[in-house]
Amino acid sequence: MTREYSVQEALKLAIKGEKDSLDFYRKAATATKNDRARKVFDLLANEEVGHLKSFFDHYRGGEFGDIASYMAQPPDTKNPTYMALMKAIDEETHEQQALEIALREEKSCIDQYTVLAKDIVDPLVRGIFQQVIKETEKHYAMIEEEYRHVMTMVHESDQDIYVRE
């Protein structure tokens, strides 16, 4: 079944998703004790701000208000990813758990936007979703690299050095 999204509907979905991610990364950064992991979460939060600004530049709806006010709004505490993070924090979370939640969320976003993009006929709207997918894939890779570091895993570029014959 095909669902055609207007440019404005796609932008609205993207804005909501980016705000949820921004809130998650901000909270994860404050909950993380590891300086390197905190920097990764802060970087991801800052990238979400950039994405939000890009989407806001093209969005014509008024329900979000201006971008500064929207970004300052409290998080959507009913967002499942945010709820999972809060539960993990309540259980004395550490970087590993926050990164695992972030990996699952980024993967879920990639899957969701991929499905949506397949059903979109308008090339401009499809392009919006494809751009979100590319950015989310970059986030996933960044989180995965930090997860390897936190877990003291061997970086993929060093794997051949440590392979035993």
Side-chain angles (χ1 to χ4, degrees):
M1 174 182 244
T2 301
R3 162 84 158 92
E4 177 59 18
Y5 289 88
S6 72
V7 172
Q8 296 304 305
E9 287 172 324
L11 289 168
K12 185 176 178 178
L13 287 172
I15 287 168
K16 174 74 172 106
E18 296 298 319
K19 172 70 165 73
D20 288 342
S21 295
L22 171 64
D23 292 335
F24 172 85
Y25 290 130
R26 283 180 173 168
K27 187 64 176 177
T30 63
T32 299
K33 294 178 176 95
N34 178 293
D35 285 337
R36 181 178 157 142
R38 183 178 7 268
K39 287 177 184 174
V40 168
F41 286 130
D42 284 336
L43 173 68
L44 290 165
N46 289 333
E47 287 189 9
E48 300 300 350
V49 170
H51 298 163
L52 272 169
K53 287 179 180 176
S54 295
F55 293 136
F56 255 85
D57 286 345
H58 300 286
Y59 188 63
R60 301 295 170 242
E63 71 272 14
F64 297 123
D66 66 273
I67 188 163
S69 298
Y70 184 62
M71 286 192 304
Q73 288 180 2
D76 175 5
T77 57
K78 294 181 182 169
N79 176 294
T81 303
Y82 193 83
M83 288 170 44
L85 177 63
M86 294 309 294
K87 181 180 179 199
I89 289 170
D90 287 345
E91 296 171 0
E92 298 291 324
T93 191
H94 50 81
E95 294 73 28
Q96 175 188 345
Q97 288 174 307
L99 291 165
E100 287 170 354
I101 294 167
L103 284 169
R104 284 192 302 269
E105 174 61 11
E106 295 294 333
K107 176 70 170 117
S108 174
C109 287
I110 292 167
D111 293 345
Q112 177 186 9
Y113 286 138
T114 299
V115 167
L116 289 171
K118 274 195 240 179
D119 291 337
I120 294 174
V121 176
D122 184 319
L124 179 60
V125 178
R126 189 176 332 107
I128 292 168
F129 280 95
Q130 289 170 337
Q131 183 61 36
V132 171
I133 292 166
K134 286 179 188 175
E135 294 296 330
T136 305
E137 287 169 342
K138 289 177 189 174
H139 289 177
Y140 186 91
M142 187 183 308
I143 296 164
E144 190 173 47
E145 183 177 329
E146 182 58 22
Y147 183 77
R148 282 189 189 114
H149 176 76
V150 166
M151 297 300 295
T152 64
M153 294 181 178
V154 177
H155 187 273
E156 62 190 27
S157 64
D158 296 329
Q159 287 177 348
D160 291 338
I161 297 170
Y162 296 100
V163 175
R164 294 185 182 166
E165 293 183 25

